[in-house]
């Protein structure tokens, strides 16, 4: 009899991944402080990180849950405004540096977005059909109108109205954005491997069968949607600190669609897909700002063509796992099509 | 007096929402697709009116026929090219394709015609009606009359003709309808044609009132019409009419309210969507809708 299929124990796997992530952060950070990556480029890097968070968070609702929220930019806007306003007000009150309040600020922004996700998720997700799409779309529109006009109704400066919220300290940089990216991806990954994640996937694959097997469909749908909104809020908070201005008109339908394009193109249900599509599209957007009209038409055509010929997106549901690659290398002599863990 | 005029304004706006909502409700009823591109068909119709009247100087009658015809054609082409290949695909793919089509039409129009609006003259102008001290806008009356006629025509089509029977059969059970010898593809195309024809009529009436065409005019109009369809009960034709008028009234009256010095008109879109959310919480089937039982 042959040897057993060699496995890498779980703590070692996590250790390897953590070391690799830390190595990536240290290398890029030293390149930035060494001047090899300019200020402008590191700003774009942070932008990429923000969009990775947006794409992987939308991927929870679209890829894993199989719903179609069209107001992801609305959650980004809520998170951004609440995080920025919270940090600016609190740093004035307490007299501390704004950057020191980053963690509570981001959590606050995420929680506010999650609260709104809960408020609209409960009625919309109870129903079968495409109501979530239209409700989230309408919700993002309400948020946009609210951010634009609340100042004149309140009578004092709160969101900055049409001029936007200006003077936000630039508290985001490459390091804190990418640490957040890694934490968010880690959380989503472990969640999807847990029984809660399996329940969410079961709902995507067959709602009726999942319900018959004892999955609380409404609860898990709402849970996935709220988590998606929470991370979108965090992404918005980092975005506010990266750009320094919150402009309410930016977070319209177009922005939601752009995030959706990232998820659909990369592959619904694949974190690798979302991350790579978010990276590529953000870079392309930066490179082609002069051709923005053509860009939008191309995105629209891409959506249609991808849906027709490769409905699962570029990567499908495939996800890269370093562990699988390493185990494959460790067991080179093992027959390739051997049914692992099967009977003798 | 002002109240009556606002009432008429509400009816006028509501007519257009109702016409567009009918297209949504018919398509949703037959293939359960939320056709995001429906609103943008209206935008294309408005540009056709503008091009025929202002660019080609061909007169209003040609403009009316050209835009209605092209809208109908566009609806059928969209169905054949983008939706028909995905008939057996998951609902999510179909919905994403619909968003892609809508996005494509909007940005395509922006690329061709530019982001700024195109002004045109009114398609038809009749002097206003005066009864005593009350002045009634004739545009509003014409809009209302055309809408009511179109809806009556639609009801006759759906309930009295053979094609209408086929449409109802396909929406009830696509597989069984096919077994009874109904051509499902032809029926679905016909439904899209009728829905887009109504959108074409809506587009002519809309450009007659606002006399302007912009690339994004269709998206907000379409969304509010969808709210109207949900409010009335999606899948129900009388429901779409009632919902359309309701949304029109709500919008006009919210715009008319003033708190202190401020008009609430900037909040009207928010109010319409808030109503959608409330309807979904309280009565998800809408005013006229009926509950559909889920079968395994």
């Amino acid at each position: 009899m042959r040897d057993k299929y060699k496995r890498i124990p779980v703590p070692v796997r996590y250790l390897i991944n953590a070391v690799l992530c830390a190595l990536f952060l240290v290398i890029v950070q030293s390149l930035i402080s060494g001047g090899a990556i300019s200020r402008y480029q590191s700003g774009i890097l942070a932008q990429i990180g923000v969009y990775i968070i947006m794409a992987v968070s939308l991927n929870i609702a679209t890829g894993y849950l199989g719903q179609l929220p069209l107001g992801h930019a609305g959650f980004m806007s809520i998170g951004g405004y609440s995080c920025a306003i919270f940090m600016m007000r609190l740093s004035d009150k307490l007299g501390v540096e704004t950057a020191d309040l980053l963690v509570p600020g981001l959590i606050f922004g995420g929680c506010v977005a999650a609260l709104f996700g809960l408020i609209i998720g409960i009625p919309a997700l109870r129903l079968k059909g495409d109501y979530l799409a239209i409700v989230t779309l309408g919700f993002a529109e309400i948020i946009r109108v609210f951010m634009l006009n609340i100042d004149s109704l309140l009578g004092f400066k709160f969101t900055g109205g049409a001029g936007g919220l200006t003077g936000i300290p630039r508290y985001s940089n490459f390091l804190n954005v990418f640490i957040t990216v890694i934490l968010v991806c880690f959380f989503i990954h472990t969640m999807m491997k847990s029984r809660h994640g399996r329940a969410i996937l079961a709902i995507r694959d067959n709602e009726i069968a999942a319900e018959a097997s004892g999955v609380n469909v409404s609860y898990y749908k709402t849970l996935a949607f709220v988590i998606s909104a929470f991370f979108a809020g965090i992404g918005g908070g980092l975005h506010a600190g990266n750009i320094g201005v919150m402009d309410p008109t930016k977070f319209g339908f177009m922005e939601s669609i752009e995030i959706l394009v990232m998820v659909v193109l990369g592959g619904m249900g694949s974190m690798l897909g979302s991350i790579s599509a978010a990276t590529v599209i953000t870079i392309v957007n930066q490179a082609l700002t002069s051709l923005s009209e053509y860009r939008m038409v191309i995105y629209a055509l891409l959506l249609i063509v991808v849906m027709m010929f490769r409905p699962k997106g570029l990567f499908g549901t495939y996800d890269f796992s370093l562990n699988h690659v390493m185990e494959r290398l460790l067991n080179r002599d093992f027959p390739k099509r051997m049914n692992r863990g099967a009977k003798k | 007096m002002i109240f009556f005029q606002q009432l008429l304004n509400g009816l006028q706006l509501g007519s257009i929402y109702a016409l567009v909502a009918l297209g949504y409700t018919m398509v949703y009823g037959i293939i359960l697709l939320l056709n995001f591109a429906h609103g943008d068909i209206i935008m294309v119709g408005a540009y056709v009116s503008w091009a025929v009247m202002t660019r080609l100087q061909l007169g209003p009658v040609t403009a009316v026929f050209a835009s209605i015809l092209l809208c109908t054609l566009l609806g059928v082409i969209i169905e054949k090219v983008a939706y028909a290949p995905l008939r057996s695909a998951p609902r999510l793919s179909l919905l994403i394709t619909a968003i892609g089509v809508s996005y494509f039409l909007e940005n395509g129009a922006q690329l061709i015609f530019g982001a700024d609006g195109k002004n045109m003259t009114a398609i038809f102008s009749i002097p206003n009606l005066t009864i005593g001290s009350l002045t009634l806008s004739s545009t509003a009356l014409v809009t209302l009359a055309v809408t009511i006629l179109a809806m009556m025509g639609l009801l006759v089509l759906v309930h009295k003709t053979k094609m209408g029977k086929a449409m109802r059969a396909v929406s009830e059970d696509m597989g069984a309808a096919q077994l009874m010898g109904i051509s499902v593809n032809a029926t679905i195309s016909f439904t899209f044609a009728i829905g887009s024809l109504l959108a074409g009529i809506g587009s002519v009436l809309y450009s007659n009132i606002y006399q302007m065409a912009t690339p994004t005019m269709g998206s907000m109009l379409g969304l509010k019409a969808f709210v109207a369809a949900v409010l009335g009960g999606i899948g129900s034709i009388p429901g779409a009419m009632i919902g359309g008028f309701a949304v029109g009234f709500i919008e006009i009256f919210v715009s008319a309210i003033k708190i202190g010095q401020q008009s609430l008109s900037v909040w009207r879109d928010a109010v319409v969507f808030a109503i959608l959310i409330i309807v979904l919480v309280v009565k998800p089937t809408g005013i006229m809708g009926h509950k559909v039982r889920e079968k395994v």
Side-chain angles (χ1 to χ4, degrees), chain B residues 104-129:
Chain B
F104 175 70
L105 288 177
E106 268 173 41
N107 289 295
Q110 188 159 342
L111 203 60
I112 298 170
F113 300 109
D116 50 331
K118 300 284 183 211
N119 292 309
M120 55 181 132
T121 49
I123 295 175
F124 42 83
S125 53
I126 321 159
N128 285 346
L129 213 64

Side-chain angles (χ1 to χ4, degrees), chain B residues 254-282:
Chain B
V254 168
S255 308
I257 295 172
K258 277 203 170 102
I259 293 180
Q261 291 293 308
Q262 264 167 15
S263 160
L264 282 185
S265 66
V266 288
W267 291 89
R268 62 176 193 272
D269 294 356
V271 170
V272 170
F273 287 113
I275 283 168
L276 172 74
I277 296 176
I278 294 167
V279 169
L280 289 179
V281 176
V282 180

Side-chain angles (χ1 to χ4, degrees), chain A residues 206-217:
Chain A
N206 191 330
E207 203 172 320
I208 299 170
E211 196 162 19
S213 318
V215 172
N216 188 343
V217 170

Side-chain angles (χ1 to χ4, degrees), chain B residues 75-138:
Chain B
V76 176
I77 291 171
I78 290 173
E79 196 271 327
K80 284 279 174 229
V81 173
Y83 302 153
L86 293 171
R87 194 130 303 153
S88 55
R91 288 261 295 282
L92 193 61
S93 312
L94 206 58
L95 207 54
I96 292 173
T97 312
I99 292 169
V101 172
S102 155
Y103 207 49
F104 175 70
L105 288 177
E106 268 173 41
N107 289 295
Q110 188 159 342
L111 203 60
I112 298 170
F113 300 109
D116 50 331
K118 300 284 183 211
N119 292 309
M120 55 181 132
T121 49
I123 295 175
F124 42 83
S125 53
I126 321 159
N128 285 346
L129 213 64
T130 315
I131 306 169
S133 60
L134 193 65
T135 312
L136 296 177
S137 147
S138 60

